[in-house]
Amino acid sequence: MASTPRAVRFGNGSATVDAATIAEGLGMSASDVQPLMRSGELTSRCEVGQDQDAGLTRLTFFLRSRRFRIVVDSSGRILRRSTIDFGERPLPPSLRA
């Protein structure tokens, strides 16, 4: 099995995700990621695994009716990814959890 390139880097207690990774997951241009984050339209959540999930980090990105989620190991390699797009309907609050 080929290894997945690191799309996430950890440092100073935070995670930095490559804009191209976020853009691909949300179906947008990488050049739009930072402006949308600055405006607050694109938001994110970071959760650090505990117990059986120790060493894993789940990063979730929200934009309009879309949610993009990745789970990475401690080296920043993506282990799982998923995207949910509700089209014209708003993202249900339960998917923000």
Side-chain angles (χ1 to χ4, degrees):
M1 183 167 153
S3 66
T4 304
R6 284 192 338 173
V8 179
R9 298 198 184 279
F10 296 101
N12 298 322
S14 66
T16 302
V17 183
D18 181 73
T21 300
I22 298 168
E24 179 184 342
L26 291 172
M28 57 190 282
S29 169
S31 63
D32 291 332
V33 171
Q34 282 191 339
L36 287 168
M37 286 188 127
R38 283 189 197 113
S39 73
E41 194 171 349
L42 172 56
T43 60
S44 62
R45 171 188 232 161
C46 177
E47 301 166 278
V48 178
Q50 297 181 7
D51 300 325
Q52 68 191 32
D53 293 322
L56 301 179
T57 301
R58 181 167 64 186
L59 300 147
T60 309
F61 301 89
F62 305 96
L63 178 64
R64 299 179 194 103
S65 62
R66 289 173 276 172
R67 180 189 82 183
F68 172 56
R69 178 175 281 169
I70 56 177
V71 175
V72 299
D73 64 16
S74 59
S75 71
R77 295 188 193 285
I78 297 174
L79 304 175
R80 292 186 297 275
R81 66 174 58 218
S82 66
T83 301
I84 296 175
D85 186 343
F86 280 85
E88 297 299 315
R89 297 175 300 180
L91 190 66
S94 63
L95 290 181
R96 291 193 174 270

